Amino acid sequence: MCLGIPMQVLETDGFTALCAGRGEERRVNVMLIEEVPPGGWLLVHLDNAVRALEEEEEVKPLNDALDAILLAARGENVDHLFADLATPSGTPA
């Protein structure tokens, strides 16, 4: 399975960007997308920016999904990461 991770741009020269996300920093190729300024967010796959992300709508849900994969792999509960998907009665929305 291939996964992209959300990373925040720290600095960019138009060809690459130094990005931080999920506890690491890495240099990412940004030549295939529109320029994203420092502070912006990218979806990164194999050190290549796939697309810009909307911070308010996309970054937290993506990080929650990645956290859920890690927790599930360890056999831990992931319900708290998807609380917004259940109605008050606890049944799926």
Side-chain angles (χ1 to χ4, degrees):
M1 173 173 38
C2 299
L3 298 173
I5 62 170
M7 300 193 85
Q8 189 170 34
V9 176
L10 303 176
E11 62 183 50
T12 183
D13 61 15
F15 300 103
T16 64
L18 179 61
C19 297
R22 304 201 53 85
E24 67 176 312
E25 286 185 6
R26 62 170 81 165
R27 181 82 36 198
V28 173
N29 175 353
V30 294
M31 291 189 294
L32 299 176
I33 64 165
E34 292 183 28
E35 187 170 343
V36 175
W41 287 85
L42 301 171
L43 182 64
V44 176
H45 175 69
L46 297 174
D47 293 335
N48 289 284
V50 176
R51 67 178 178 88
L53 295 173
E54 295 294 327
E55 181 175 9
E56 298 294 320
E57 296 87 22
E58 297 179 291
V59 174
K60 184 180 181 329
L62 284 169
N63 275 320
D64 285 351
L66 292 169
D67 289 344
I69 291 168
L70 293 173
L71 290 172
R74 294 192 301 238
E76 297 179 32
N77 187 307
V78 299
D79 293 345
H80 66 285
L81 294 170
F82 302 104
D84 61 323
L85 299 179
T87 62
S89 66
T91 58

